[in-house]
């Protein structure tokens, strides 16, 4: 099971100043902080019925998003050591683009993003995941709650 894309995230991240200092543009969501995943789902692009939520299967996912446009993610599968990833991110009002610098080669994930209160929802990033018979193209969906 390859879940590194989220350790990537992974989700996943921090607040960026508004482009060009335009105070009339949309404000950016404040995503800086420590987040815990309530869902990290991989959905097969070929068959949406083939999916895995690694959090529901017992994994934990923690994401720390810094204001300097970097992130650290920690994925801990049940009974296994933590897998720590890091990288950079770029945020708009509705998207989060994550580049994992801890992977070789780096992976770029582009999520649709919604922040509602203390819940951050990231959906639709393209990646690969191994459901048991080799890696296949998937969409990555993540729901996180701020600590």
């Amino acid at each position: 099971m390859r879940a590194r894309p989220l350790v990537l995230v992974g989700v996943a991240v921090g607040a960026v100043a508004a482009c060009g200092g335009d105070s009339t543009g949309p404000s950016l969501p404040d995503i800086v902080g420590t987040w815990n995943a309530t869902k990290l789902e991989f959905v097969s692009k070929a068959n949406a019925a083939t999916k895995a939520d690694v959090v529901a299967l017992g994994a934990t996912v923690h994401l720390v998003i810094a204001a300097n446009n970097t992130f650290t993610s920690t994925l801990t599968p049940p009974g296994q050591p933590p897998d720590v990833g890091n990288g950079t991110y770029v945020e708009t009002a509705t998207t989060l683009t994550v580049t994992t610098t801890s992977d070789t080669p780096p992976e770029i994930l582009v999520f649709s993003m919604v922040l509602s209160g203390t819940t951050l929802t990231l959906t639709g990033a393209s990646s690969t995941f191994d459901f048991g018979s080799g890696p296949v193209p998937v969409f990555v969906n993540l729901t996180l709650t701020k600590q």
Side-chain angles (χ1 to χ4, degrees):
M1 167 170 79
R2 180 177 186 260
R4 185 106 174 137
L6 235 282
V7 181
L8 50 117
V9 149
V11 292
V13 218
V16 181
C19 295
D22 178 6
S23 62
T24 61
S27 63
L28 297 178
D30 181 8
I31 60 173
V32 171
T34 301
W35 300 84
N36 295 313
T38 58
K39 176 172 85 170
L40 170 52
E41 178 182 60
F42 298 91
V43 181
S44 169
K45 289 184 177 183
N47 179 1
T50 301
K51 56 185 157 184
D53 177 351
V54 299
V55 172
L57 296 171
T60 60
V61 179
H62 302 283
L63 177 63
V64 178
I65 302 171
N68 67 352
N69 295 78
T70 64
F71 71 89
T72 300
S73 61
T74 305
L75 169 69
T76 307
Q80 299 197 17
D83 184 7
V84 178
N86 53 57
T88 62
Y89 70 91
V90 176
E91 157 188 20
T92 72
T94 59
T95 63
L96 181 65
T97 301
V98 174
T99 302
T100 61
T101 56
S102 53
D103 290 335
T104 304
E107 183 171 20
I108 298 172
L109 299 160
V110 180
F111 291 96
S112 294
M113 176 176 65
V114 175
L115 177 61
S116 178
T118 60
T119 301
L120 178 61
T121 304
L122 305 171
T123 57
S126 292
S127 188
T128 59
F129 184 78
D130 188 344
F131 291 99
S133 57
V136 297
V138 295
F139 293 111
V140 181
N141 302 314
L142 196 62
T143 304
L144 303 129
T145 303
K146 197 168 196 176
Q147 275 189 338

